[in-house]
Each structure stands twice: as C-alpha cells, then as structure tokens.
Amino acid sequence: MKDGFTVAIDGPAAAGKGTVSRAVAEHFGFAHLDTGLLYRAVGAKVLEGMTAEEAALTLVAGDLDNDQLRTNAVAEAASKAAAIPEVRAALVDFQRSFAMRAGGAVLDGRDIGTVICPDAQVKLFVTATPEVRAERRFAELAAKGFDVTLAEVLAEVQARDARDSTRAEAPLKPADDAVEMDTSTMDIATAVARAIELIKSRIAE
Ligand code: CDP
Ligand code: CDP
C-alpha cells in the first residue's frame, strides 16, 4: 500500500464509524485513529477542572486509555470543547501526521474528510436515524454497566449532533466528495463489506 493512503470516515454519534473503521483497518492492515477519543480525553480533563485549551495542548497517549471516556458526561464535555477553535487547532498536527503514516491509515471523526484530510483517497459519511443510534449506544453503555436510560442517551446524542453540526469551526457535515452510507437498517457485516468494496475500488484507480 502506498504511504499516505487515507480513509476518512465521518458521521454523527454512534452511527457505526468506529466499528467500520476497525474492520477496514484490520482487513487492509491500515493504522486506525478514533479521533473522537482525542476530544473525549480533553472533555474528561475539563470535568476534572482543566481548561479545554490547556487540556488539548498537554494531551498524551495515556490519556486516551480510560474507560470513563465513554460516559455521556464526557461526550457532552467533549462536544463543548470541540467547538473551541484553539482546541481543534492543537489537535490538527497529530491527526495529519497519523494519516500520513506508512502502510495507510483510517481516521474516524467529524471533520476528517472536510478539514483534517481533504485529500483523502476514500471519504465515507456514515449515518443512521437518531433513534437507531441512541438504541445502539444505549445497548453498548448498558452492557458496560453504565447506569443510563434510553431516553437520556437519545437526548444526549441529539444535543451533541445539533452542537457538532452548527458550530462555526469544522462542523459535522459530509465532504462534497464523500460517499454516504445510511446504516439504519444495515447490519455491521453489510456496512463493513460496502466500505471494503469502496476502498478496493479506490485502490484499483
Ligand atoms: O463510532 P461510532 O460512534 O459512530 O459508532 P460505533 O461505536 O462504531 O457503533 C455504535 C454501536 O452500534 C456499536 O455497539 C456497534 O456494534 C453498533 N452498530 C450496529 O449495531 N450496526 C451497525 N451497522 C453499526 C454499528
Ligand atoms: O463515539 P461518538 O460518535 O458518540 O463520539 P466521538 O466520535 O467519540 O466524538 C465525541 C465528540 O468529539 C463529538 O461529539 C464531537 O463534538 C467531537 N469530535 C470532533 O469535533 N471532531 C472529530 N474529528 C471527532 C470528534
């Protein structure tokens, strides 16, 4: 694989970006970066009392390895921090150098195809209805033992989507040249197979 081959996977909360990204990374041997974890790690530090700007500037790899990053409270704090231009700017270089690593890379997030890697060879925008996404996220959190209701998760997902889509800096939206995939009624195997076909066709070009 040519170095610098980049797959950008964006979309709203719990659409299946991470699941598809992990599967294609394994299939093609690409490195994978869940960029949402960077913002979640910043959000977690804000909840501990740090400013978002300071948290983004001092982030280290170990900060990403934390089970508590999955909670609704951290997701909300992440989304608030992610609207601050200085926070986004502090995280750009790390994401871009990850995208250029040898052997290809897949990055998933909100602005990978639009801002971080506008020249990515493959851009996928994964969506599903808010209700389906909330059910998926609720099942995930409940399985991990978090004390949360479906209604709370739906409200959190909708509030975060609205904030992420309407912010001035790097809003959540499909790149003009992204392929959109609605997984509302699609199982994981089908979503992964479609992503793999798309990537294969771009590799062949
Ligand atoms: O990364 P993102 O927040 O977009 O979503 P995810 O963590 O990949 O997926 C959220 C949950 O939905 C996971 O538990 C997946 O197993 C599940 N999922 C699903 O049921 N059907 C799909 N087509 C994709 C994901
Ligand atoms: O897993 P889920 O899709 O629910 O969220 P995430 O990907 O972990 O992202 C958490 C929050 O970080 C999002 O709601 C966005 O506000 C922010 N984010 C962002 O602004 N840009 C990215 N590239 C990734 C995440």
Side-chain angles (χ1 to χ4, degrees), residues 119-143:
D119 298 327
Q121 284 78 359
V122 182
K123 296 182 186 177
L124 195 58
F125 195 83
V126 185
T127 63
T129 64
E131 290 74 19
V132 165
R133 291 186 285 116
E135 276 178 29
R136 288 177 182 168
R137 181 52 49 84
F138 171 69
E140 226 173 9
L141 291 172

Side-chain angles (χ1 to χ4, degrees), residues 12-14 17 34-37 39-40 70 75 78-79 82 88 95 109-112 137 160 164 167:
K17 305 178 298 292
D34 171 359
T35 66
L37 274 186
Y39 293 93
R40 283 176 182 262
R70 288 286 143 217
S79 167
R88 306 201 70 81
Q95 295 175 83
R110 301 292 184 291
D111 64 336
I112 308 305
R137 181 52 49 84
R160 196 146 53 91
D164 292 350
R167 68 186 176 213

Side-chain angles (χ1 to χ4, degrees), residues 88-99 116:
R88 306 201 70 81
L91 302 175
V92 167
D93 287 351
F94 173 71
Q95 295 175 83
R96 289 203 177 132
S97 41
F98 191 97
I116 300 297

Side-chain angles (χ1 to χ4, degrees), residues 5-201:
F5 188 92
T6 306
V7 179
I9 303 189
D10 291 304
K17 305 178 298 292
T19 303
V20 170
S21 298
R22 279 191 294 278
V24 302
E26 190 175 344
H27 183 90
F28 293 99
F30 296 153
H32 170 223
L33 178 64
D34 171 359
T35 66
L37 274 186
L38 305 175
Y39 293 93
R40 283 176 182 262
V42 170
K45 287 179 175 250
V46 169
L47 294 179
E48 287 164 9
M50 212 183 253
T51 68
E53 291 86 340
E54 189 185 354
L57 285 167
T58 57
L59 213 58
V60 293
D63 295 332
L64 308 184
D65 190 17
N66 173 355
D67 264 2
Q68 294 307 311
L69 297 185
R70 288 286 143 217
T71 64
N72 274 349
V74 168
E76 186 186 13
S79 167
K80 287 180 178 164
I84 302 172
E86 289 77 10
V87 169
R88 306 201 70 81
L91 302 175
V92 167
D93 287 351
F94 173 71
Q95 295 175 83
R96 289 203 177 132
S97 41
F98 191 97
M100 295 308 293
R101 64 169 55 194
V106 49
L107 286 79
D108 73 283
R110 301 292 184 291
D111 64 336
I112 308 305
T114 51
V115 174
I116 300 297
C117 304
D119 298 327
Q121 284 78 359
V122 182
K123 296 182 186 177
L124 195 58
F125 195 83
V126 185
T127 63
T129 64
E131 290 74 19
V132 165
R133 291 186 285 116
E135 276 178 29
R136 288 177 182 168
R137 181 52 49 84
F138 171 69
E140 226 173 9
L141 291 172
K144 284 188 179 148
F146 289 110
D147 181 21
V148 71
T149 66
L150 176 58
E152 283 167 353
V153 175
L154 178 60
E156 189 281 322
V157 159
Q158 287 180 313
R160 196 146 53 91
D161 288 350
R163 191 182 299 111
D164 292 350
S165 309
T166 56
R167 68 186 176 213
E169 188 91 1
L172 167 66
K173 64 168 184 199
D176 291 339
D177 52 350
V179 172
E180 296 194 38
M181 182 164 78
D182 185 337
T183 70
S184 302
T185 58
M186 201 185 276
D187 64 16
I188 293 173
T190 308
V192 168
R194 291 208 183 162
I196 288 175
E197 283 316 306
L198 174 66
I199 295 166
K200 276 188 183 160
S201 72

